[in-house]
Amino acid sequence: MSDMLNHNANPNVEVQYDNEGNVHMVLQRDVQAGDELYKTYGQPTNPSRYFATFGFFDASPPATYCKLFPELEATQELRNLGFGYDRMVFYVRDGAISEEVWDVMLYLMLANDPGSQQQFYQAHMNGDSDTKGQFHQYYLAQTVKALL
């Protein structure tokens, strides 16, 4: 039965399995009689998986995953900066870039200056938005160039 559900980035059903292998479809919000039930086929910000696995491109999510770093090892510092499929995104509606993309890109660019890299990282970890903002402003042109 759950194989018959269509995908939606904003599903109204979650498919769950119990210890005996039974499938349970749990509503995530109220639905009306006759409404179609949807589940998500996976991570909505990573549309390549949908195309490769299911043969379609899901254009409904509000954002898509930034794929600038496919070979990058996710160290603890990078994860702390927001490196992850669900946070490193480009927003579809207005083309905005998530703060996590800017932070990870700048952190990687600062690798040639370990002192500055560590100062930027500590500002992030301590919630020091002023210092972090100064770094972003100073390196804005280089960061934009790296993103293009």
Side-chain angles (χ1 to χ4, degrees):
M1 176 74 169
S2 71
D3 287 345
M4 302 304 291
L5 296 175
N6 284 324
H7 165 77
N8 191 301
N10 186 21
N12 54 14
V13 170
E14 180 181 339
V15 177
Q16 299 177 354
Y17 302 89
D18 65 21
N19 292 336
E20 298 169 5
N22 297 309
V23 176
H24 301 273
M25 288 183 272
V26 180
L27 288 175
Q28 300 301 297
R29 61 181 172 277
D30 290 339
V31 296
Q32 301 298 314
D35 285 353
E36 186 167 355
L37 300 179
Y38 296 100
K39 68 178 183 178
T40 182
Y41 289 171
Q43 180 53 258
T45 57
N46 189 7
S48 298
R49 177 178 180 271
Y50 294 108
F51 189 70
T53 306
F54 304 110
F56 73 92
F57 177 77
D58 180 10
S60 67
T64 187
Y65 174 65
C66 167
K67 296 183 179 185
L68 294 174
F69 316 105
E71 306 294 320
L72 188 62
E73 180 184 338
T75 65
Q76 186 60 49
E77 285 183 337
L78 288 173
R79 284 192 295 272
N80 289 343
L81 288 166
F83 185 78
Y85 288 113
D86 58 338
R87 297 174 65 193
M88 299 264 304
V89 296
F90 297 112
Y91 294 97
V92 175
R93 185 177 64 226
D94 60 4
I97 300 170
S98 72
E99 180 179 351
E100 291 83 358
V101 172
W102 291 107
D103 288 350
V104 168
M105 178 62 79
L106 181 53
Y107 179 80
L108 294 172
M109 289 173 46
L110 291 172
N112 293 331
D113 183 353
S116 292
Q117 185 185 49
Q118 201 52 242
Q119 187 180 1
F120 174 75
Y121 179 74
Q122 288 305 318
H124 174 82
M125 294 304 291
N126 295 328
D128 181 354
S129 57
D130 290 338
T131 300
K132 205 169 126 175
Q134 290 171 0
F135 270 99
H136 278 297
Q137 179 131 7
Y138 185 80
Y139 289 99
L140 180 62
Q142 296 95 316
T143 308
V144 168
K145 185 177 178 183
L147 284 170
L148 299 176

